[in-house]
Amino acid sequence: MKKIGELLVEQGKISERDVERTLLAQSEMGDMFGQVLVKLGLVSELDFAQVLSAQLDMPLCAASDYPEEPVQLDGLARDFLFSNTVVPLSSDEQGVRFAAAVPQDPFLGKALRMALDRPVSIHLGLESDISRALQGHNLDEAEEGEDELHDQFAGQTDDEFIEHLRDLASEAPVIRLVNQIIHRALDMGASDIHIEPFEDGLQLRYRVDGVLQEYPDAPPPGLRAAIASRIKLLSNMNIAEQRLPQDGRIMTRVKGHELDLRVSTIPTVHGESIVMRVLDRESIRLSLTDMGFSEDTLSRYRELLARPHGVLLLTGPTGSGKTTTLYASLASLDSDHLKIITVEDPVEYQLQGVNQIQVQAQIDLTFARALRAILRQDPDIIMIGEMRDTETAQIGVQSALTGHLVLSTLHTNTAAGAITRLEDMGVERYLITSSVNGVLAQRLVRNLCNECREPVQLSDEAIRHAGLAPFMPTGHNTIYQAAGCEHCMHTGYRGRSAIHELFALDDAIHREIMSGADATDLHSAARRAGMITLYEDGLRKVAAGRTSLEEVLRVTQDQNEADAASPPAGVEVDLEQPVSA
């Protein structure tokens, strides 16, 4: 019989080098070869199980083979099931059927037959499926486990309390459960994982394409302390501190993907609420052409990027992709002939040829302090993760005035609002007009699922009132709306792309700024000069069938009133009028 490693190499799942690395890791970890392969992320659990199934000539249990209700067996300890990753599938006069992650283990079959004194058959199962089925066996004890846990903690010293938490976090079922939560985020393409304790139990939610989705199979409430302890242990937090917010970071490899998890915990009345931001280094797109830019906007944005000095700002709320666009902008520049330095909090992705500085407030390495040091490093381009305070903004503007191109972000709703935000931060108007080249506002809209999107016929009146008329091909009145299918998890959307509003500062805008114009006046002046707004850029994607009108309205609802108040030439927008098919 060929070894499992040889079979995987023959099928092109792994390389000979991967086999060597796995054998080396196996000598340190002590697990079986296949388990080490999966933990290292070199193969998926399913790929390995399929090869093992062929090697053992044993069928692989499907998810539908697992019973909805736990099969209760007298004489078989729950701890034995967990420690051996085995779960009963059915029990009848013929005997008992089990699914096991390691069915070829001779000890397992012998132990089960001795414990039950009945015929036993063992089949191959995915470890994740078995662990999910075992949660049902754990549920009854977990329901009352929380109260018992508090009773156990009551008489413990601090050292005993910490040791108890470490023991909880190190139990195999808890390790597997936390791994499953993280693996599922990758499978779903989630950007955030939310584990929230409430009076009636734990709530598990994933943010997919910017929208939170609740996962139905939440962990049992009795495991809340164990799950929190496990995550805090992985992210190097104080495992015993449950009264104060904490931040940490987990670097891991899952199914061949390098994942960087930014972990935040806050205390609530029912326990610690945990949020993990998922950064998948494998899926990051660092090309401006992949960011969803319209051709005219991208052309003008590249012109601003090509200028030798000045400030170029990106604005938008948290999670609107500002940092990713900044990274893509830097990646488009010639780092071989330009000195590029960034100051970030945190450094999300490492860029080839770019000097990146991580802000560390605990040692007083702030944005402002790092910027002052950077100017002595002879940079051509400086990227500031965010202009958070007056000192950082002023140093950034001064850097632009002394011959550097400065890229940064600001939290404002509109592109024009960045100008008044700089004024609020103490930057004089004449410095703004002398240094700022332009402002790019950005939002992310969900793309319609190509498998299930539905056409909608709009009347001419509906097209006119929605503002779609300038962007619809002559004679066409069809747009698309979300439906929902198994390919998009019944949301109607798959993936996201950006919409943009580019506010370039020319002589006319300079005069408006110096005259004391507010954000609304600046926005109106830019529109009169032909600026395409976020809403209108979204409408272009609606007309192209890439997103829905409802999605654009959802994302740009803070823009619509201002846009309707001062439409550019040829565009009428009346958002009070409902859009109807």
CSV table of all heavy atoms in Angstrom, one decimal, residues 339-385:
chain,number,residue,atom,x,y,z
A,339,LYS,N,11.8,56.2,-3.1
A,339,LYS,CA,11.9,55.8,-1.7
A,339,LYS,C,10.5,56.0,-1.1
A,339,LYS,O,10.0,57.1,-1.0
A,339,LYS,CB,12.9,56.7,-0.9
A,339,LYS,CG,12.9,56.5,0.6
A,339,LYS,CD,13.8,55.3,0.9
A,339,LYS,CE,14.1,55.3,2.4
A,339,LYS,NZ,15.0,54.3,2.8
A,340,ILE,N,9.8,54.9,-0.7
A,340,ILE,CA,8.4,54.9,-0.2
A,340,ILE,C,8.5,54.5,1.3
A,340,ILE,O,9.0,53.4,1.6
A,340,ILE,CB,7.5,54.0,-1.0
A,340,ILE,CG1,7.5,54.4,-2.5
A,340,ILE,CG2,6.1,54.1,-0.5
A,340,ILE,CD1,6.7,53.5,-3.4
A,341,ILE,N,7.9,55.3,2.1
A,341,ILE,CA,7.9,54.9,3.6
A,341,ILE,C,6.4,55.1,4.0
A,341,ILE,O,5.7,56.1,3.7
A,341,ILE,CB,8.8,55.8,4.4
A,341,ILE,CG1,10.2,55.7,3.9
A,341,ILE,CG2,8.8,55.4,5.9
A,341,ILE,CD1,11.2,56.6,4.7
A,342,THR,N,5.9,54.2,4.8
A,342,THR,CA,4.6,54.2,5.4
A,342,THR,C,4.6,54.2,6.9
A,342,THR,O,5.5,53.7,7.5
A,342,THR,CB,3.7,53.1,4.9
A,342,THR,OG1,4.1,51.9,5.6
A,342,THR,CG2,3.8,52.8,3.4
A,343,VAL,N,3.6,54.9,7.5
A,343,VAL,CA,3.4,54.8,8.9
A,343,VAL,C,1.9,54.3,9.1
A,343,VAL,O,1.0,55.0,8.7
A,343,VAL,CB,3.5,56.2,9.6
A,343,VAL,CG1,3.5,56.0,11.1
A,343,VAL,CG2,4.8,56.9,9.2
A,344,GLU,N,1.8,53.2,9.7
A,344,GLU,CA,0.4,52.5,9.8
A,344,GLU,C,0.1,52.0,11.2
A,344,GLU,O,1.0,51.7,12.0
A,344,GLU,CB,0.4,51.4,8.8
A,344,GLU,CG,0.8,51.7,7.4
A,344,GLU,CD,0.9,50.5,6.5
A,344,GLU,OE1,-0.1,49.8,6.3
A,344,GLU,OE2,2.0,50.3,6.0
A,345,ASP,N,-1.1,51.9,11.5
A,345,ASP,CA,-1.6,51.3,12.7
A,345,ASP,C,-2.9,50.5,12.4
A,345,ASP,O,-4.0,51.1,12.5
A,345,ASP,CB,-1.8,52.4,13.8
A,345,ASP,CG,-2.2,51.8,15.1
A,345,ASP,OD1,-1.9,50.6,15.4
A,345,ASP,OD2,-2.9,52.6,15.9
A,346,PRO,N,-2.8,49.2,12.2
A,346,PRO,CA,-1.6,48.4,12.1
A,346,PRO,C,-1.1,48.3,10.7
A,346,PRO,O,-1.8,48.7,9.7
A,346,PRO,CB,-2.1,47.1,12.6
A,346,PRO,CG,-3.5,47.0,12.1
A,346,PRO,CD,-4.0,48.4,12.1
A,347,VAL,N,0.1,47.7,10.5
A,347,VAL,CA,0.5,47.3,9.1
A,347,VAL,C,-0.3,46.1,8.7
A,347,VAL,O,-0.1,45.0,9.3
A,347,VAL,CB,2.0,47.0,9.1
A,347,VAL,CG1,2.5,46.5,7.7
A,347,VAL,CG2,2.8,48.2,9.5
A,348,GLU,N,-1.2,46.3,7.8
A,348,GLU,CA,-2.1,45.2,7.4
A,348,GLU,C,-1.5,44.2,6.4
A,348,GLU,O,-1.6,43.0,6.5
A,348,GLU,CB,-3.4,45.8,6.8
A,348,GLU,CG,-4.2,46.5,7.9
A,348,GLU,CD,-5.6,46.9,7.4
A,348,GLU,OE1,-6.0,46.5,6.2
A,348,GLU,OE2,-6.3,47.6,8.1
A,349,TYR,N,-0.8,44.7,5.4
A,349,TYR,CA,-0.1,43.9,4.4
A,349,TYR,C,1.2,44.4,4.1
A,349,TYR,O,1.5,45.6,4.0
A,349,TYR,CB,-1.0,43.8,3.1
A,349,TYR,CG,-2.4,43.3,3.3
A,349,TYR,CD1,-3.4,44.1,3.3
A,349,TYR,CD2,-2.6,41.9,3.4
A,349,TYR,CE1,-4.7,43.6,3.5
A,349,TYR,CE2,-3.8,41.4,3.6
A,349,TYR,CZ,-4.9,42.3,3.6
A,349,TYR,OH,-6.2,41.8,3.8
A,350,GLN,N,2.2,43.5,3.9
A,350,GLN,CA,3.6,43.9,3.7
A,350,GLN,C,3.8,44.0,2.2
A,350,GLN,O,3.5,43.1,1.4
A,350,GLN,CB,4.5,42.9,4.3
A,350,GLN,CG,4.4,42.9,5.8
A,350,GLN,CD,5.3,41.8,6.5
A,350,GLN,OE1,6.3,41.4,5.8
A,350,GLN,NE2,5.0,41.5,7.7
A,351,LEU,N,4.4,45.2,1.8
A,351,LEU,CA,4.5,45.5,0.4
A,351,LEU,C,6.0,45.4,0.0
A,351,LEU,O,6.9,45.9,0.7
A,351,LEU,CB,4.0,46.9,0.0
A,351,LEU,CG,2.6,47.2,0.3
A,351,LEU,CD1,2.2,48.6,0.1
A,351,LEU,CD2,1.7,46.3,-0.5
A,352,GLN,N,6.3,44.7,-1.1
A,352,GLN,CA,7.7,44.6,-1.6
A,352,GLN,C,8.3,46.0,-2.0
A,352,GLN,O,7.7,46.7,-2.7
A,352,GLN,CB,7.7,43.7,-2.9
A,352,GLN,CG,9.1,43.4,-3.4
A,352,GLN,CD,9.9,42.5,-2.5
A,352,GLN,OE1,9.4,41.7,-1.8
A,352,GLN,NE2,11.2,42.7,-2.5
A,353,GLY,N,9.5,46.2,-1.4
A,353,GLY,CA,10.2,47.5,-1.7
A,353,GLY,C,9.7,48.7,-1.0
A,353,GLY,O,10.1,49.8,-1.3
A,354,VAL,N,8.8,48.5,0.0
A,354,VAL,CA,8.2,49.7,0.7
A,354,VAL,C,8.6,49.5,2.2
A,354,VAL,O,8.5,48.5,2.8
A,354,VAL,CB,6.7,49.7,0.6
A,354,VAL,CG1,6.1,50.8,1.5
A,354,VAL,CG2,6.3,49.9,-0.9
A,355,ASN,N,9.2,50.6,2.8
A,355,ASN,CA,9.5,50.6,4.2
A,355,ASN,C,8.3,51.0,5.0
A,355,ASN,O,7.7,52.1,4.9
A,355,ASN,CB,10.6,51.7,4.4
A,355,ASN,CG,11.9,51.4,3.7
A,355,ASN,OD1,12.7,50.7,4.1
A,355,ASN,ND2,12.0,52.0,2.5
A,356,GLN,N,7.8,50.0,5.8
A,356,GLN,CA,6.6,50.2,6.6
A,356,GLN,C,6.9,50.2,8.1
A,356,GLN,O,7.6,49.4,8.6
A,356,GLN,CB,5.6,49.0,6.2
A,356,GLN,CG,5.2,49.0,4.8
A,356,GLN,CD,4.4,47.8,4.4
A,356,GLN,OE1,4.9,46.8,4.0
A,356,GLN,NE2,3.0,47.9,4.6
A,357,ILE,N,6.3,51.2,8.7
A,357,ILE,CA,6.5,51.4,10.1
A,357,ILE,C,5.2,51.2,10.9
A,357,ILE,O,4.1,51.7,10.5
A,357,ILE,CB,7.0,52.9,10.4
A,357,ILE,CG1,8.3,53.2,9.7
A,357,ILE,CG2,7.1,53.1,11.9
A,357,ILE,CD1,8.7,54.6,9.7
A,358,GLN,N,5.3,50.4,11.9
A,358,GLN,CA,4.1,50.1,12.8
A,358,GLN,C,4.1,51.1,13.9
A,358,GLN,O,5.0,51.2,14.7
A,358,GLN,CB,4.2,48.6,13.3
A,358,GLN,CG,3.2,48.3,14.4
A,358,GLN,CD,1.9,48.0,13.9
A,358,GLN,OE1,1.7,47.2,13.0
A,358,GLN,NE2,0.9,48.7,14.4
A,359,VAL,N,3.0,51.8,14.1
A,359,VAL,CA,2.8,52.7,15.2
A,359,VAL,C,2.7,51.9,16.5
A,359,VAL,O,2.0,50.8,16.5
A,359,VAL,CB,1.5,53.5,15.0
A,359,VAL,CG1,1.1,54.2,16.3
A,359,VAL,CG2,1.7,54.5,13.9
A,360,GLN,N,3.4,52.3,17.5
A,360,GLN,CA,3.3,51.6,18.8
A,360,GLN,C,3.2,52.6,19.9
A,360,GLN,O,4.2,53.2,20.4
A,360,GLN,CB,4.6,50.8,19.0
A,360,GLN,CG,4.8,49.7,18.0
A,360,GLN,CD,6.0,48.8,18.3
A,360,GLN,OE1,6.0,48.1,19.3
A,360,GLN,NE2,6.9,48.7,17.3
A,361,ALA,N,2.0,52.9,20.3
A,361,ALA,CA,1.7,53.9,21.3
A,361,ALA,C,2.3,53.7,22.6
A,361,ALA,O,2.6,54.6,23.4
A,361,ALA,CB,0.1,54.1,21.4
A,362,GLN,N,2.5,52.4,23.0
A,362,GLN,CA,3.0,52.0,24.3
A,362,GLN,C,4.4,52.5,24.5
A,362,GLN,O,4.9,52.7,25.6
A,362,GLN,CB,2.9,50.5,24.6
A,362,GLN,CG,3.7,49.6,23.7
A,362,GLN,CD,3.0,49.2,22.5
A,362,GLN,OE1,2.1,49.9,22.0
A,362,GLN,NE2,3.4,48.1,21.9
A,363,ILE,N,5.2,52.7,23.4
A,363,ILE,CA,6.5,53.2,23.5
A,363,ILE,C,6.6,54.6,22.9
A,363,ILE,O,7.7,55.1,22.5
A,363,ILE,CB,7.6,52.3,22.9
A,363,ILE,CG1,7.2,52.0,21.4
A,363,ILE,CG2,7.6,51.0,23.7
A,363,ILE,CD1,8.3,51.3,20.7
A,364,ASP,N,5.4,55.3,22.8
A,364,ASP,CA,5.3,56.6,22.3
A,364,ASP,C,5.8,56.8,20.8
A,364,ASP,O,6.3,57.8,20.4
A,364,ASP,CB,6.1,57.6,23.2
A,364,ASP,CG,5.7,59.0,23.0
A,364,ASP,OD1,4.5,59.2,22.6
A,364,ASP,OD2,6.5,60.0,23.1
A,365,LEU,N,5.7,55.7,20.0
A,365,LEU,CA,6.0,55.8,18.6
A,365,LEU,C,4.6,56.1,17.9
A,365,LEU,O,3.9,55.2,17.4
A,365,LEU,CB,6.6,54.5,18.1
A,365,LEU,CG,6.9,54.5,16.5
A,365,LEU,CD1,7.9,55.6,16.2
A,365,LEU,CD2,7.5,53.1,16.1
A,366,THR,N,4.3,57.4,17.9
A,366,THR,CA,3.0,57.8,17.3
A,366,THR,C,3.2,58.2,15.9
A,366,THR,O,4.3,58.2,15.3
A,366,THR,CB,2.5,59.1,18.1
A,366,THR,OG1,3.5,60.1,18.0
A,366,THR,CG2,2.3,58.7,19.6
A,367,PHE,N,2.0,58.5,15.2
A,367,PHE,CA,2.1,58.9,13.8
A,367,PHE,C,3.0,60.2,13.7
A,367,PHE,O,3.9,60.2,12.8
A,367,PHE,CB,0.7,59.3,13.3
A,367,PHE,CG,-0.1,58.1,12.8
A,367,PHE,CD1,-1.1,57.6,13.6
A,367,PHE,CD2,0.2,57.5,11.6
A,367,PHE,CE1,-1.9,56.5,13.1
A,367,PHE,CE2,-0.5,56.4,11.2
A,367,PHE,CZ,-1.6,55.9,11.9
A,368,ALA,N,2.8,61.1,14.5
A,368,ALA,CA,3.6,62.4,14.5
A,368,ALA,C,5.1,62.2,14.7
A,368,ALA,O,5.9,62.7,13.9
A,368,ALA,CB,3.0,63.4,15.5
A,369,ARG,N,5.4,61.4,15.7
A,369,ARG,CA,6.8,61.1,16.0
A,369,ARG,C,7.5,60.4,14.8
A,369,ARG,O,8.6,60.7,14.5
A,369,ARG,CB,6.9,60.4,17.3
A,369,ARG,CG,8.4,60.2,17.7
A,369,ARG,CD,8.5,59.6,19.1
A,369,ARG,NE,9.8,59.5,19.6
A,369,ARG,CZ,10.2,59.1,20.8
A,369,ARG,NH1,9.3,58.8,21.7
A,369,ARG,NH2,11.5,59.1,21.2
A,370,ALA,N,6.8,59.4,14.3
A,370,ALA,CA,7.4,58.6,13.2
A,370,ALA,C,7.5,59.5,12.0
A,370,ALA,O,8.5,59.4,11.2
A,370,ALA,CB,6.5,57.4,12.9
A,371,LEU,N,6.6,60.4,11.7
A,371,LEU,CA,6.7,61.3,10.5
A,371,LEU,C,7.9,62.2,10.6
A,371,LEU,O,8.5,62.5,9.6
A,371,LEU,CB,5.4,62.1,10.4
A,371,LEU,CG,4.2,61.4,9.8
A,371,LEU,CD1,2.9,62.2,9.9
A,371,LEU,CD2,4.5,61.0,8.3
A,372,ARG,N,8.1,62.7,11.8
A,372,ARG,CA,9.3,63.6,12.0
A,372,ARG,C,10.6,62.9,11.7
A,372,ARG,O,11.5,63.5,11.1
A,372,ARG,CB,9.3,64.2,13.4
A,372,ARG,CG,8.2,65.3,13.7
A,372,ARG,CD,8.5,66.0,15.0
A,372,ARG,NE,8.3,65.2,16.1
A,372,ARG,CZ,7.2,65.0,16.8
A,372,ARG,NH1,6.1,65.8,16.4
A,372,ARG,NH2,7.1,64.3,17.8
A,373,ALA,N,10.6,61.6,12.1
A,373,ALA,CA,11.8,60.8,11.8
A,373,ALA,C,11.9,60.5,10.3
A,373,ALA,O,13.0,60.4,9.7
A,373,ALA,CB,11.8,59.6,12.6
A,374,ILE,N,10.8,60.2,9.7
A,374,ILE,CA,10.8,59.8,8.3
A,374,ILE,C,11.4,60.9,7.4
A,374,ILE,O,12.1,60.6,6.4
A,374,ILE,CB,9.3,59.5,7.8
A,374,ILE,CG1,8.9,58.1,8.3
A,374,ILE,CG2,9.1,59.7,6.3
A,374,ILE,CD1,7.4,57.8,7.9
A,375,LEU,N,11.1,62.2,7.7
A,375,LEU,CA,11.6,63.2,6.9
A,375,LEU,C,13.1,63.3,6.8
A,375,LEU,O,13.7,63.9,5.8
A,375,LEU,CB,11.1,64.6,7.4
A,375,LEU,CG,9.5,64.7,7.2
A,375,LEU,CD1,9.0,66.0,7.9
A,375,LEU,CD2,9.1,64.6,5.8
A,376,ARG,N,13.8,62.7,7.7
A,376,ARG,CA,15.3,62.6,7.7
A,376,ARG,C,15.8,61.4,6.9
A,376,ARG,O,17.0,61.2,6.8
A,376,ARG,CB,15.8,62.6,9.1
A,376,ARG,CG,15.5,63.8,9.9
A,376,ARG,CD,16.3,63.9,11.2
A,376,ARG,NE,15.8,62.9,12.2
A,376,ARG,CZ,14.8,63.2,13.1
A,376,ARG,NH1,14.2,64.4,13.0
A,376,ARG,NH2,14.4,62.3,13.9
A,377,GLN,N,14.8,60.6,6.4
A,377,GLN,CA,15.1,59.4,5.6
A,377,GLN,C,15.1,59.6,4.1
A,377,GLN,O,15.2,58.6,3.4
A,377,GLN,CB,14.2,58.2,6.0
A,377,GLN,CG,14.3,57.7,7.4
A,377,GLN,CD,15.5,56.7,7.5
A,377,GLN,OE1,15.6,55.8,6.7
A,377,GLN,NE2,16.3,56.8,8.5
A,378,ASP,N,15.0,60.8,3.7
A,378,ASP,CA,15.0,61.2,2.3
A,378,ASP,C,13.9,60.4,1.5
A,378,ASP,O,14.2,59.8,0.5
A,378,ASP,CB,16.4,61.0,1.7
A,378,ASP,CG,16.5,61.5,0.3
A,378,ASP,OD1,15.7,62.5,-0.1
A,378,ASP,OD2,17.2,60.9,-0.5
A,379,PRO,N,12.6,60.5,1.9
A,379,PRO,CA,11.6,59.7,1.2
A,379,PRO,C,11.1,60.6,0.0
A,379,PRO,O,11.2,61.8,-0.1
A,379,PRO,CB,10.5,59.6,2.2
A,379,PRO,CG,10.6,60.8,3.0
A,379,PRO,CD,12.1,61.2,3.1
A,380,ASP,N,10.6,59.8,-1.0
A,380,ASP,CA,9.9,60.5,-2.2
A,380,ASP,C,8.4,60.5,-1.9
A,380,ASP,O,7.7,61.5,-2.2
A,380,ASP,CB,10.2,59.8,-3.5
A,380,ASP,CG,11.6,59.8,-3.9
A,380,ASP,OD1,12.1,61.0,-4.1
A,380,ASP,OD2,12.3,58.8,-3.9
A,381,ILE,N,7.9,59.4,-1.3
A,381,ILE,CA,6.5,59.2,-1.1
A,381,ILE,C,6.3,58.7,0.3
A,381,ILE,O,7.0,57.8,0.8
A,381,ILE,CB,5.9,58.2,-2.1
A,381,ILE,CG1,6.0,58.7,-3.5
A,381,ILE,CG2,4.4,57.9,-1.8
A,381,ILE,CD1,5.7,57.6,-4.6
A,382,ILE,N,5.3,59.4,1.0
A,382,ILE,CA,5.0,59.0,2.4
A,382,ILE,C,3.5,58.6,2.5
A,382,ILE,O,2.6,59.3,1.9
A,382,ILE,CB,5.2,60.2,3.3
A,382,ILE,CG1,6.7,60.7,3.3
A,382,ILE,CG2,4.8,59.9,4.8
A,382,ILE,CD1,6.9,62.0,4.0
A,383,MET,N,3.2,57.5,3.1
A,383,MET,CA,1.9,57.1,3.3
A,383,MET,C,1.6,57.1,4.8
A,383,MET,O,2.2,56.4,5.5
A,383,MET,CB,1.6,55.7,2.7
A,383,MET,CG,0.1,55.4,2.6
A,383,MET,SD,-0.5,54.5,4.0
A,383,MET,CE,-0.3,52.8,3.5
A,384,ILE,N,0.6,57.9,5.2
A,384,ILE,CA,0.1,57.9,6.6
A,384,ILE,C,-1.2,57.2,6.7
A,384,ILE,O,-2.1,57.5,6.0
A,384,ILE,CB,-0.1,59.4,7.0
A,384,ILE,CG1,1.2,60.2,6.7
A,384,ILE,CG2,-0.4,59.5,8.5
A,384,ILE,CD1,1.0,61.7,6.9
A,385,GLY,N,-1.2,56.1,7.5
A,385,GLY,CA,-2.4,55.3,7.6
A,385,GLY,C,-3.6,56.1,7.9
A,385,GLY,O,-4.7,55.8,7.3
